[in-house]
Amino acid sequence: MSKLLEIRGLRARIAGGREVLKGIDLDVSPGEVHAIMGPNGAGKSTLSSVLAGKPGYEVTEGTVRYLGHDLLTMPADERAREGVFLAFQYPVEIPGVNNMYFLRAALNAGRRQRGQAELDAQQFLKSVRERLKLLDIGDDLLRRAVNVGFSGGEKKRNEIFQMAMLEPRLAILDETDSGLDIDALRAVSDGVNRLRDPARAIVMITHYQRLLDYIVPDRVHVLADGRIVASGDKTFAAELERTGYAHLVDAA
Amino acid sequence: MPIWSMRLEAGGAMLMTDDSAPFREGFDQMLATAAEPVWLTFRRRAEMDRFALLGFPTRRQEAWRFTDLEPLTAAAPLPMAAPLPMAMADDLPSPASLALWLLPVTTHRLVLANGHVVPSLSAGPPLPDGVWLASVAETLRRRPDLLEGAFGDEDGALAALNAALFTDGVVLALEPGVTLETPVEVIHHTTAAGAHARLHIALGAGSRATVVETAIGPVGDGAAAGPVTSWGNTVGVVTLGADAVLTHLHIQAEGPAACHTAAVRAVLADRARYDACAVITGARLSRRDMAVVLAGDEAEFRLYGAYLLDGGQEATLSVRADHLGLGCRTDEVVKGVLAGASHGVFLGTLAVAPGADGADARQVNRNLLLSPTARVDTKPELEILADDVKCAHGATVGSLDEAALFYLQARGIDPETARRMLVEAFAAEVLDAAGLPTALAELAHRHLWRWLDGRDS
């Protein structure tokens, strides 16, 4: 089975600044859930930003292939339309832009890219209702402007809801667990689990092992000082819980 | 040189200039042939003398520091010497161009071409009792009492020139306790230089009306630069009796070679409410001066507006609200979107007179710069002479939020659409906040969309 994502020797820096990623190698296949863990400053969020195409980073070396295409030459919006989804650590508030209007524009942009007919208002609403039900989310969030006045938990749930609507092939969850209390964490995790799919890969970036109690990964990686220093299967997460990853970081 | 040609400069030196000279010959001819009430002839003479004394405003005057009329005054020879004759067929808007600007509901419509009401383009259902709506020319013939005394010495030089040279306009007068449900739609179509029209609105105690005032002109080749070829100069006089309510939407969508100047003076009695909304996107050079006097107790003035400019456009929105009564309220929110090498100016003054306690006034001006060559000057001011008041003002200038742009793109929305969504959200917010009746809100939003569509990203 061909790889969904192939990262080879990826080095990147903050534009005009220090090098953060110092040679990342990672393979992700469809249906897999990968967890990337590591201490603060290891480069976890930089990796997700580079994959999503956020401005302000420079790739200095290496390649990223997504479904066989060179991901790094694609603009951020094209990556999204091709099925790459970043769940933001800090979802952005956009006053004046209605959540539903925004989501329909995003959904139809992707459908146009794939040569599918755009959804009309009725079809879109039907799809929205199905996803809300699947994720057990109320519809009050939809009437508001994008993320404006949302609590931390609501913002994270809105990200997962968007993921459910946009049906990405590759979802990158950037510290989706941060700032959530235990109930919100459970709700968000349940949502992600329902979106696991043989055709879809999920890369979770997280600081805490507790997320992995809720979303059980196929592969666990430790990122330290810009490199993946250790990898293992889901039992590796339990091992890390006992040993911590300080010894891996020091070894790097 | 006659006395009216002298202007007293600061410092006491007499400067011999006369900006009124090019107008004199046509003005005298007009007075000689017009069959007007004597008081009006005197009035016109006085106003022309006042203009001669004041001259065209210049940037040496504080209120005009950021507004350069040079594209107008240097566009010689502007054929503005004589009051314009009755409109010719070429001066009329085409049905297609007019249709773009019409409200999607039944209205009392008056279309003016170069300052003259065109009866063939004007229509509406029968007027209810207690409502007078007619051209200025007809009002002067049949109800001159509605206009006598409706000219103000306190207005500026351009208003004086308007009062001297005006050809026509619209008069709306409501007797006390009358509600005019159907909106009044006044459309100014200007193709020539020097169209001076008036809009008089007088609402009796407890009466209510809705007025949409739209200024349009030839679309031209789209480039807002160089000299101006048309100039519309209007004056609005609004008088609201106790408990009267006026909703007043102004849409300025003149062509790229137009100059548009307008002065609006409003006086509000006890508990009167003036709801104004202005959407300004047109003209090479434009200026709208609003002077609102909250004379009665608990009078209320609200202004929600936006100027959206591109290319070499320059627009000034100047608003002064004088609070004289007790417990008056003012709420102003004006937003600017500046693209290309455009220049926007907001001048806002909130004044509270001695003893006008309980005033609650807010004034906000927010600007979005879409290009490094766009400029904005914003000057919100307070003149508070009463003790017990609540006044707030603020101004911001910023660019599009990069984080929001990336967020939209990270969901698959292309950069151009993302920028458009953010600009629309920024401007639409103020139109929504205006709380306009549905048909007016629709027109205002349509105007915004047309601007967004017509702009090169």
Side-chain angles (χ1 to χ4, degrees), chain A residues 53-55 76-77 80-81 85-86 88 92 94-97 101-102 106 109 147 159 162 166, chain B residues 401-415 417 420-422 424-426 429:
Chain A
K54 186 175 180 178
D77 56 312
R81 291 194 299 271
F85 180 89
L86 171 65
F88 282 60
V92 182
I94 312 183
V97 176
Y101 171 72
F102 152 70
N147 293 322
E159 295 291 288
Q162 289 177 26
L166 298 175
Chain B
D401 180 358
E402 293 293 333
L405 273 178
F406 176 65
Y407 190 81
L408 295 173
Q409 289 173 65
R411 296 294 175 258
I413 295 169
D414 66 86
T417 305
R420 186 191 152 117
M421 282 172 91
L422 295 183
E424 182 185 345
F426 176 81
E429 191 217 5

mmCIF file of all heavy atoms in Angstrom, chain A residues 53-55 76-77 80-81 85-86 88 92 94-97 101-102 106 109 147 159 162 166, chain B residues 401-415 417 420-422 424-426 429:
data_model
loop_
_atom_site.group_PDB
_atom_site.id
_atom_site.type_symbol
_atom_site.label_atom_id
_atom_site.label_comp_id
_atom_site.label_asym_id
_atom_site.label_seq_id
_atom_site.Cartn_x
_atom_site.Cartn_y
_atom_site.Cartn_z
ATOM 1 N N GLY A 53 1.502 24.514 5.581
ATOM 2 C CA GLY A 53 1.863 25.607 4.682
ATOM 3 C C GLY A 53 1.715 26.976 5.290
ATOM 4 O O GLY A 53 1.475 27.966 4.589
ATOM 5 N N LYS A 54 1.877 27.064 6.605
ATOM 6 C CA LYS A 54 1.751 28.372 7.254
ATOM 7 C C LYS A 54 2.924 29.272 6.863
ATOM 8 O O LYS A 54 4.075 28.818 6.847
ATOM 9 C CB LYS A 54 1.730 28.170 8.774
ATOM 10 C CG LYS A 54 1.457 29.429 9.551
ATOM 11 C CD LYS A 54 1.328 29.147 11.030
ATOM 12 C CE LYS A 54 1.045 30.422 11.788
ATOM 13 N NZ LYS A 54 0.879 30.172 13.217
ATOM 14 N N PRO A 55 2.642 30.536 6.514
ATOM 15 C CA PRO A 55 3.737 31.443 6.178
ATOM 16 C C PRO A 55 4.643 31.670 7.388
ATOM 17 O O PRO A 55 4.217 31.511 8.529
ATOM 18 C CB PRO A 55 3.038 32.755 5.797
ATOM 19 C CG PRO A 55 1.588 32.433 5.667
ATOM 20 C CD PRO A 55 1.335 31.199 6.475
ATOM 21 N N ALA A 76 -1.020 26.769 0.736
ATOM 22 C CA ALA A 76 -1.785 26.236 1.872
ATOM 23 C C ALA A 76 -3.222 25.884 1.483
ATOM 24 O O ALA A 76 -3.731 24.826 1.867
ATOM 25 C CB ALA A 76 -1.787 27.253 3.008
ATOM 26 N N ASP A 77 -3.878 26.748 0.705
ATOM 27 C CA ASP A 77 -5.283 26.494 0.389
ATOM 28 C C ASP A 77 -5.427 25.268 -0.503
ATOM 29 O O ASP A 77 -6.381 24.516 -0.382
ATOM 30 C CB ASP A 77 -5.927 27.732 -0.248
ATOM 31 C CG ASP A 77 -5.196 28.229 -1.483
ATOM 32 O OD1 ASP A 77 -3.962 28.370 -1.424
ATOM 33 O OD2 ASP A 77 -5.848 28.478 -2.506
ATOM 34 N N ALA A 80 -5.143 22.133 1.538
ATOM 35 C CA ALA A 80 -6.404 21.866 2.247
ATOM 36 C C ALA A 80 -7.419 21.242 1.308
ATOM 37 O O ALA A 80 -8.103 20.283 1.662
ATOM 38 C CB ALA A 80 -6.939 23.162 2.848
ATOM 39 N N ARG A 81 -7.507 21.787 0.093
ATOM 40 C CA ARG A 81 -8.484 21.246 -0.857
ATOM 41 C C ARG A 81 -8.124 19.828 -1.291
ATOM 42 O O ARG A 81 -8.985 19.061 -1.681
ATOM 43 C CB ARG A 81 -8.602 22.169 -2.082
ATOM 44 C CG ARG A 81 -9.250 23.514 -1.761
ATOM 45 C CD ARG A 81 -9.652 24.262 -3.023
ATOM 46 N NE ARG A 81 -8.519 24.571 -3.880
ATOM 47 C CZ ARG A 81 -7.775 25.676 -3.798
ATOM 48 N NH1 ARG A 81 -8.050 26.569 -2.880
ATOM 49 N NH2 ARG A 81 -6.769 25.877 -4.621
ATOM 50 N N PHE A 85 -5.661 18.520 6.508
ATOM 51 C CA PHE A 85 -6.425 19.324 7.470
ATOM 52 C C PHE A 85 -5.582 19.542 8.716
ATOM 53 O O PHE A 85 -5.035 18.592 9.277
ATOM 54 C CB PHE A 85 -7.715 18.591 7.849
ATOM 55 C CG PHE A 85 -8.567 19.334 8.845
ATOM 56 C CD1 PHE A 85 -9.528 20.240 8.428
ATOM 57 C CD2 PHE A 85 -8.390 19.136 10.215
ATOM 58 C CE1 PHE A 85 -10.305 20.927 9.352
ATOM 59 C CE2 PHE A 85 -9.163 19.824 11.148
ATOM 60 C CZ PHE A 85 -10.124 20.726 10.707
ATOM 61 N N LEU A 86 -5.472 20.797 9.120
ATOM 62 C CA LEU A 86 -4.786 21.110 10.376
ATOM 63 C C LEU A 86 -5.813 21.574 11.394
ATOM 64 O O LEU A 86 -6.492 22.578 11.180
ATOM 65 C CB LEU A 86 -3.744 22.219 10.142
ATOM 66 C CG LEU A 86 -3.091 22.799 11.397
ATOM 67 C CD1 LEU A 86 -2.250 21.759 12.117
ATOM 68 C CD2 LEU A 86 -2.232 24.022 11.055
ATOM 69 N N PHE A 88 -6.176 23.470 14.523
ATOM 70 C CA PHE A 88 -5.272 24.465 15.126
ATOM 71 C C PHE A 88 -5.176 24.306 16.641
ATOM 72 O O PHE A 88 -6.169 24.017 17.314
ATOM 73 C CB PHE A 88 -5.773 25.878 14.816
ATOM 74 C CG PHE A 88 -5.470 26.369 13.429
ATOM 75 C CD1 PHE A 88 -5.945 25.690 12.318
ATOM 76 C CD2 PHE A 88 -4.709 27.510 13.234
ATOM 77 C CE1 PHE A 88 -5.672 26.137 11.031
ATOM 78 C CE2 PHE A 88 -4.433 27.979 11.957
ATOM 79 C CZ PHE A 88 -4.904 27.289 10.846
ATOM 80 N N VAL A 92 -8.507 30.483 15.270
ATOM 81 C CA VAL A 92 -8.530 31.942 15.135
ATOM 82 C C VAL A 92 -9.968 32.454 15.144
ATOM 83 O O VAL A 92 -10.847 31.891 14.500
ATOM 84 C CB VAL A 92 -7.835 32.351 13.821
ATOM 85 C CG1 VAL A 92 -7.803 33.865 13.673
ATOM 86 C CG2 VAL A 92 -6.426 31.782 13.770
ATOM 87 N N ILE A 94 -12.702 34.965 13.903
ATOM 88 C CA ILE A 94 -12.890 35.803 12.709
ATOM 89 C C ILE A 94 -14.225 36.532 12.819
ATOM 90 O O ILE A 94 -15.257 36.041 12.358
ATOM 91 C CB ILE A 94 -12.828 34.964 11.426
ATOM 92 C CG1 ILE A 94 -11.600 34.051 11.452
ATOM 93 C CG2 ILE A 94 -12.798 35.871 10.210
ATOM 94 C CD1 ILE A 94 -11.392 33.232 10.198
ATOM 95 N N PRO A 95 -14.231 37.714 13.401
ATOM 96 C CA PRO A 95 -15.480 38.460 13.576
ATOM 97 C C PRO A 95 -16.139 38.749 12.231
ATOM 98 O O PRO A 95 -15.453 39.040 11.256
ATOM 99 C CB PRO A 95 -15.031 39.767 14.237
ATOM 100 C CG PRO A 95 -13.650 39.529 14.740
ATOM 101 C CD PRO A 95 -13.063 38.443 13.887
ATOM 102 N N GLY A 96 -17.433 38.630 12.192
ATOM 103 C CA GLY A 96 -18.174 39.023 10.996
ATOM 104 C C GLY A 96 -18.315 37.930 9.958
ATOM 105 O O GLY A 96 -19.070 38.075 9.011
ATOM 106 N N VAL A 97 -17.554 36.835 10.107
ATOM 107 C CA VAL A 97 -17.690 35.732 9.153
ATOM 108 C C VAL A 97 -18.454 34.606 9.838
ATOM 109 O O VAL A 97 -17.965 33.998 10.783
ATOM 110 C CB VAL A 97 -16.314 35.229 8.661
ATOM 111 C CG1 VAL A 97 -16.492 34.025 7.737
ATOM 112 C CG2 VAL A 97 -15.566 36.340 7.944
ATOM 113 N N TYR A 101 -21.438 29.960 6.811
ATOM 114 C CA TYR A 101 -21.042 30.550 5.534
ATOM 115 C C TYR A 101 -19.605 30.149 5.204
ATOM 116 O O TYR A 101 -19.277 29.717 4.096
ATOM 117 C CB TYR A 101 -21.196 32.074 5.647
ATOM 118 C CG TYR A 101 -20.638 32.864 4.496
ATOM 119 C CD1 TYR A 101 -21.269 32.867 3.259
ATOM 120 C CD2 TYR A 101 -19.489 33.638 4.657
ATOM 121 C CE1 TYR A 101 -20.760 33.607 2.207
ATOM 122 C CE2 TYR A 101 -18.974 34.368 3.619
ATOM 123 C CZ TYR A 101 -19.605 34.354 2.386
ATOM 124 O OH TYR A 101 -19.092 35.088 1.359
ATOM 125 N N PHE A 102 -18.771 30.273 6.216
ATOM 126 C CA PHE A 102 -17.350 29.929 6.087
ATOM 127 C C PHE A 102 -17.180 28.451 5.727
ATOM 128 O O PHE A 102 -16.456 28.085 4.804
ATOM 129 C CB PHE A 102 -16.658 30.274 7.404
ATOM 130 C CG PHE A 102 -15.445 29.454 7.723
ATOM 131 C CD1 PHE A 102 -14.277 29.602 6.992
ATOM 132 C CD2 PHE A 102 -15.468 28.559 8.771
ATOM 133 C CE1 PHE A 102 -13.152 28.842 7.295
ATOM 134 C CE2 PHE A 102 -14.356 27.805 9.078
ATOM 135 C CZ PHE A 102 -13.192 27.937 8.331
ATOM 136 N N ALA A 106 -15.663 26.681 2.368
ATOM 137 C CA ALA A 106 -14.511 25.777 2.441
ATOM 138 C C ALA A 106 -14.854 24.425 1.809
ATOM 139 O O ALA A 106 -14.087 23.882 1.009
ATOM 140 C CB ALA A 106 -14.093 25.601 3.896
ATOM 141 N N ALA A 109 -15.175 24.693 -1.954
ATOM 142 C CA ALA A 109 -13.866 24.899 -2.588
ATOM 143 C C ALA A 109 -13.203 23.544 -2.802
ATOM 144 O O ALA A 109 -12.634 23.272 -3.868
ATOM 145 C CB ALA A 109 -12.993 25.810 -1.728
ATOM 146 N N ASN A 147 -15.535 31.041 15.589
ATOM 147 C CA ASN A 147 -14.787 30.981 16.852
ATOM 148 C C ASN A 147 -14.965 32.193 17.772
ATOM 149 O O ASN A 147 -14.355 32.241 18.844
ATOM 150 C CB ASN A 147 -13.283 30.775 16.598
ATOM 151 C CG ASN A 147 -12.994 29.409 16.003
ATOM 152 O OD1 ASN A 147 -13.627 28.426 16.376
ATOM 153 N ND2 ASN A 147 -12.067 29.351 15.066
ATOM 154 N N GLU A 159 -13.166 22.695 15.673
ATOM 155 C CA GLU A 159 -12.134 22.190 14.770
ATOM 156 C C GLU A 159 -12.457 20.771 14.319
ATOM 157 O O GLU A 159 -12.351 20.433 13.140
ATOM 158 C CB GLU A 159 -10.758 22.207 15.464
ATOM 159 C CG GLU A 159 -10.224 23.595 15.807
ATOM 160 C CD GLU A 159 -9.846 24.382 14.571
ATOM 161 O OE1 GLU A 159 -8.846 24.072 13.923
ATOM 162 O OE2 GLU A 159 -10.591 25.325 14.251
ATOM 163 N N GLN A 162 -15.287 20.765 11.922
ATOM 164 C CA GLN A 162 -14.827 21.133 10.575
ATOM 165 C C GLN A 162 -14.163 19.951 9.897
ATOM 166 O O GLN A 162 -14.344 19.700 8.704
ATOM 167 C CB GLN A 162 -13.854 22.311 10.654
ATOM 168 C CG GLN A 162 -14.515 23.624 11.031
ATOM 169 C CD GLN A 162 -13.502 24.746 11.161
ATOM 170 O OE1 GLN A 162 -12.448 24.712 10.560
ATOM 171 N NE2 GLN A 162 -13.821 25.739 11.957
ATOM 172 N N LEU A 166 -15.173 18.390 6.341
ATOM 173 C CA LEU A 166 -14.265 18.481 5.192
ATOM 174 C C LEU A 166 -13.699 17.117 4.801
ATOM 175 O O LEU A 166 -13.121 16.976 3.722
ATOM 176 C CB LEU A 166 -13.134 19.478 5.494
ATOM 177 C CG LEU A 166 -13.622 20.917 5.740
ATOM 178 C CD1 LEU A 166 -12.464 21.824 6.148
ATOM 179 C CD2 LEU A 166 -14.312 21.488 4.507
ATOM 180 N N ASP B 401 -5.966 40.729 9.094
ATOM 181 C CA ASP B 401 -5.403 39.847 10.103
ATOM 182 C C ASP B 401 -4.783 38.623 9.417
ATOM 183 O O ASP B 401 -5.480 37.797 8.845
ATOM 184 C CB ASP B 401 -6.548 39.426 11.040
ATOM 185 C CG ASP B 401 -6.075 38.489 12.135
ATOM 186 O OD1 ASP B 401 -4.883 38.132 12.146
ATOM 187 O OD2 ASP B 401 -6.922 38.107 12.968
ATOM 188 N N GLU B 402 -3.458 38.537 9.479
ATOM 189 C CA GLU B 402 -2.750 37.442 8.801
ATOM 190 C C GLU B 402 -3.165 36.080 9.343
ATOM 191 O O GLU B 402 -3.258 35.097 8.610
ATOM 192 C CB GLU B 402 -1.230 37.611 8.948
ATOM 193 C CG GLU B 402 -0.647 38.808 8.214
ATOM 194 C CD GLU B 402 -0.744 38.678 6.701
ATOM 195 O OE1 GLU B 402 -0.764 37.536 6.205
ATOM 196 O OE2 GLU B 402 -0.827 39.715 6.020
ATOM 197 N N ALA B 403 -3.386 36.013 10.651
ATOM 198 C CA ALA B 403 -3.766 34.732 11.253
ATOM 199 C C ALA B 403 -5.122 34.273 10.715
ATOM 200 O O ALA B 403 -5.317 33.095 10.411
ATOM 201 C CB ALA B 403 -3.799 34.861 12.764
ATOM 202 N N ALA B 404 -6.045 35.233 10.572
ATOM 203 C CA ALA B 404 -7.360 34.884 10.036
ATOM 204 C C ALA B 404 -7.250 34.469 8.573
ATOM 205 O O ALA B 404 -7.900 33.530 8.122
ATOM 206 C CB ALA B 404 -8.316 36.061 10.177
ATOM 207 N N LEU B 405 -6.403 35.164 7.813
ATOM 208 C CA LEU B 405 -6.202 34.812 6.402
ATOM 209 C C LEU B 405 -5.690 33.388 6.270
ATOM 210 O O LEU B 405 -6.139 32.619 5.425
ATOM 211 C CB LEU B 405 -5.195 35.769 5.754
ATOM 212 C CG LEU B 405 -5.734 37.057 5.183
ATOM 213 C CD1 LEU B 405 -4.581 37.903 4.640
ATOM 214 C CD2 LEU B 405 -6.733 36.790 4.069
ATOM 215 N N PHE B 406 -4.720 33.034 7.128
ATOM 216 C CA PHE B 406 -4.164 31.683 7.044
ATOM 217 C C PHE B 406 -5.204 30.647 7.471
ATOM 218 O O PHE B 406 -5.310 29.577 6.876
ATOM 219 C CB PHE B 406 -2.898 31.541 7.898
ATOM 220 C CG PHE B 406 -2.376 30.132 7.902
ATOM 221 C CD1 PHE B 406 -1.901 29.546 6.727
ATOM 222 C CD2 PHE B 406 -2.392 29.364 9.055
ATOM 223 C CE1 PHE B 406 -1.459 28.238 6.712
ATOM 224 C CE2 PHE B 406 -1.955 28.042 9.045
ATOM 225 C CZ PHE B 406 -1.481 27.481 7.872
ATOM 226 N N TYR B 407 -5.965 30.985 8.487
ATOM 227 C CA TYR B 407 -6.994 30.040 8.958
ATOM 228 C C TYR B 407 -7.976 29.705 7.828
ATOM 229 O O TYR B 407 -8.311 28.544 7.605
ATOM 230 C CB TYR B 407 -7.726 30.651 10.146
ATOM 231 C CG TYR B 407 -8.655 29.694 10.875
ATOM 232 C CD1 TYR B 407 -8.147 28.788 11.805
ATOM 233 C CD2 TYR B 407 -10.017 29.701 10.641
ATOM 234 C CE1 TYR B 407 -8.989 27.910 12.473
ATOM 235 C CE2 TYR B 407 -10.866 28.830 11.312
ATOM 236 C CZ TYR B 407 -10.345 27.944 12.228
ATOM 237 O OH TYR B 407 -11.179 27.077 12.890
ATOM 238 N N LEU B 408 -8.409 30.722 7.098
ATOM 239 C CA LEU B 408 -9.337 30.490 5.990
ATOM 240 C C LEU B 408 -8.682 29.656 4.891
ATOM 241 O O LEU B 408 -9.287 28.737 4.334
ATOM 242 C CB LEU B 408 -9.826 31.826 5.417
ATOM 243 C CG LEU B 408 -10.671 32.685 6.354
ATOM 244 C CD1 LEU B 408 -10.952 34.047 5.727
ATOM 245 C CD2 LEU B 408 -11.985 32.001 6.687
ATOM 246 N N GLN B 409 -7.423 29.959 4.605
ATOM 247 C CA GLN B 409 -6.724 29.210 3.555
ATOM 248 C C GLN B 409 -6.472 27.769 3.987
ATOM 249 O O GLN B 409 -6.508 26.851 3.167
ATOM 250 C CB GLN B 409 -5.414 29.907 3.202
ATOM 251 C CG GLN B 409 -5.643 31.210 2.451
ATOM 252 C CD GLN B 409 -4.360 31.990 2.252
ATOM 253 O OE1 GLN B 409 -3.458 31.543 1.561
ATOM 254 N NE2 GLN B 409 -4.264 33.144 2.881
ATOM 255 N N ALA B 410 -6.237 27.581 5.272
ATOM 256 C CA ALA B 410 -6.005 26.231 5.784
ATOM 257 C C ALA B 410 -7.276 25.387 5.706
ATOM 258 O O ALA B 410 -7.243 24.191 5.983
ATOM 259 C CB ALA B 410 -5.492 26.288 7.219
ATOM 260 N N ARG B 411 -8.386 26.017 5.369
ATOM 261 C CA ARG B 411 -9.612 25.249 5.156
ATOM 262 C C ARG B 411 -9.950 25.146 3.674
ATOM 263 O O ARG B 411 -11.055 24.776 3.306
ATOM 264 C CB ARG B 411 -10.782 25.905 5.924
ATOM 265 C CG ARG B 411 -10.601 25.888 7.436
ATOM 266 C CD ARG B 411 -10.625 24.462 7.986
ATOM 267 N NE ARG B 411 -10.345 24.417 9.420
ATOM 268 C CZ ARG B 411 -9.169 24.073 9.929
ATOM 269 N NH1 ARG B 411 -8.157 23.750 9.142
ATOM 270 N NH2 ARG B 411 -8.980 24.039 11.233
ATOM 271 N N GLY B 412 -9.027 25.606 2.815
ATOM 272 C CA GLY B 412 -9.204 25.411 1.387
ATOM 273 C C GLY B 412 -9.702 26.631 0.633
ATOM 274 O O GLY B 412 -9.960 26.565 -0.571
ATOM 275 N N ILE B 413 -9.852 27.740 1.323
ATOM 276 C CA ILE B 413 -10.366 28.950 0.666
ATOM 277 C C ILE B 413 -9.184 29.704 0.052
ATOM 278 O O ILE B 413 -8.191 29.959 0.743
ATOM 279 C CB ILE B 413 -11.143 29.801 1.683
ATOM 280 C CG1 ILE B 413 -12.391 29.012 2.140
ATOM 281 C CG2 ILE B 413 -11.531 31.143 1.094
ATOM 282 C CD1 ILE B 413 -13.100 29.591 3.321
ATOM 283 N N ASP B 414 -9.291 30.035 -1.239
ATOM 284 C CA ASP B 414 -8.140 30.654 -1.906
ATOM 285 C C ASP B 414 -7.876 32.045 -1.328
ATOM 286 O O ASP B 414 -8.782 32.671 -0.766
ATOM 287 C CB ASP B 414 -8.369 30.713 -3.422
ATOM 288 C CG ASP B 414 -9.510 31.626 -3.782
ATOM 289 O OD1 ASP B 414 -9.274 32.841 -3.923
ATOM 290 O OD2 ASP B 414 -10.647 31.137 -3.900
ATOM 291 N N PRO B 415 -6.630 32.525 -1.472
ATOM 292 C CA PRO B 415 -6.253 33.784 -0.801
ATOM 293 C C PRO B 415 -7.140 34.965 -1.192
ATOM 294 O O PRO B 415 -7.501 35.784 -0.340
ATOM 295 C CB PRO B 415 -4.812 34.020 -1.259
ATOM 296 C CG PRO B 415 -4.309 32.688 -1.694
ATOM 297 C CD PRO B 415 -5.492 31.901 -2.169
ATOM 298 N N THR B 417 -10.309 34.975 -2.243
ATOM 299 C CA THR B 417 -11.622 34.848 -1.601
ATOM 300 C C THR B 417 -11.506 35.096 -0.097
ATOM 301 O O THR B 417 -12.379 35.720 0.510
ATOM 302 C CB THR B 417 -12.205 33.446 -1.864
ATOM 303 O OG1 THR B 417 -12.232 33.219 -3.272
ATOM 304 C CG2 THR B 417 -13.603 33.314 -1.298
ATOM 305 N N ARG B 420 -11.328 38.748 0.499
ATOM 306 C CA ARG B 420 -12.640 39.331 0.267
ATOM 307 C C ARG B 420 -13.591 39.057 1.423
ATOM 308 O O ARG B 420 -14.348 39.929 1.861
ATOM 309 C CB ARG B 420 -13.216 38.777 -1.038
ATOM 310 C CG ARG B 420 -14.511 39.443 -1.422
ATOM 311 C CD ARG B 420 -15.197 38.694 -2.549
ATOM 312 N NE ARG B 420 -16.619 38.927 -2.423
ATOM 313 C CZ ARG B 420 -17.371 39.548 -3.316
ATOM 314 N NH1 ARG B 420 -16.841 39.974 -4.418
ATOM 315 N NH2 ARG B 420 -18.652 39.745 -3.109
ATOM 316 N N MET B 421 -13.544 37.841 1.948
ATOM 317 C CA MET B 421 -14.411 37.507 3.082
ATOM 318 C C MET B 421 -14.109 38.404 4.286
ATOM 319 O O MET B 421 -15.017 38.876 4.970
ATOM 320 C CB MET B 421 -14.213 36.034 3.486
ATOM 321 C CG MET B 421 -14.916 35.039 2.580
ATOM 322 S SD MET B 421 -14.457 33.323 2.974
ATOM 323 C CE MET B 421 -15.736 32.951 4.157
ATOM 324 N N LEU B 422 -12.829 38.641 4.517
ATOM 325 C CA LEU B 422 -12.461 39.451 5.685
ATOM 326 C C LEU B 422 -12.828 40.921 5.487
ATOM 327 O O LEU B 422 -13.298 41.583 6.420
ATOM 328 C CB LEU B 422 -10.970 39.306 5.987
ATOM 329 C CG LEU B 422 -10.515 37.904 6.410
ATOM 330 C CD1 LEU B 422 -9.029 37.900 6.758
ATOM 331 C CD2 LEU B 422 -11.326 37.396 7.603
ATOM 332 N N GLU B 424 -15.217 42.016 3.522
ATOM 333 C CA GLU B 424 -16.675 42.099 3.574
ATOM 334 C C GLU B 424 -17.164 42.063 5.020
ATOM 335 O O GLU B 424 -18.046 42.833 5.419
ATOM 336 C CB GLU B 424 -17.301 40.964 2.771
ATOM 337 C CG GLU B 424 -18.815 41.046 2.777
ATOM 338 C CD GLU B 424 -19.498 39.878 2.089
ATOM 339 O OE1 GLU B 424 -18.834 39.138 1.355
ATOM 340 O OE2 GLU B 424 -20.700 39.722 2.318
ATOM 341 N N ALA B 425 -16.570 41.174 5.808
ATOM 342 C CA ALA B 425 -16.987 41.060 7.207
ATOM 343 C C ALA B 425 -16.751 42.377 7.947
ATOM 344 O O ALA B 425 -17.588 42.838 8.724
ATOM 345 C CB ALA B 425 -16.221 39.929 7.892
ATOM 346 N N PHE B 426 -15.604 42.976 7.654
ATOM 347 C CA PHE B 426 -15.249 44.239 8.311
ATOM 348 C C PHE B 426 -16.274 45.330 7.984
ATOM 349 O O PHE B 426 -16.773 46.029 8.873
ATOM 350 C CB PHE B 426 -13.849 44.660 7.841
ATOM 351 C CG PHE B 426 -13.382 45.983 8.362
ATOM 352 C CD1 PHE B 426 -12.850 46.091 9.634
ATOM 353 C CD2 PHE B 426 -13.448 47.130 7.573
ATOM 354 C CE1 PHE B 426 -12.403 47.308 10.118
ATOM 355 C CE2 PHE B 426 -13.015 48.352 8.048
ATOM 356 C CZ PHE B 426 -12.487 48.440 9.330
ATOM 357 N N GLU B 429 -20.237 44.567 8.934
ATOM 358 C CA GLU B 429 -20.591 44.676 10.352
ATOM 359 C C GLU B 429 -21.244 46.033 10.653
ATOM 360 O O GLU B 429 -22.244 46.104 11.377
ATOM 361 C CB GLU B 429 -19.332 44.495 11.211
ATOM 362 C CG GLU B 429 -19.648 44.324 12.675
ATOM 363 C CD GLU B 429 -18.642 44.985 13.571
ATOM 364 O OE1 GLU B 429 -17.724 45.667 13.052
ATOM 365 O OE2 GLU B 429 -18.771 44.833 14.793
#
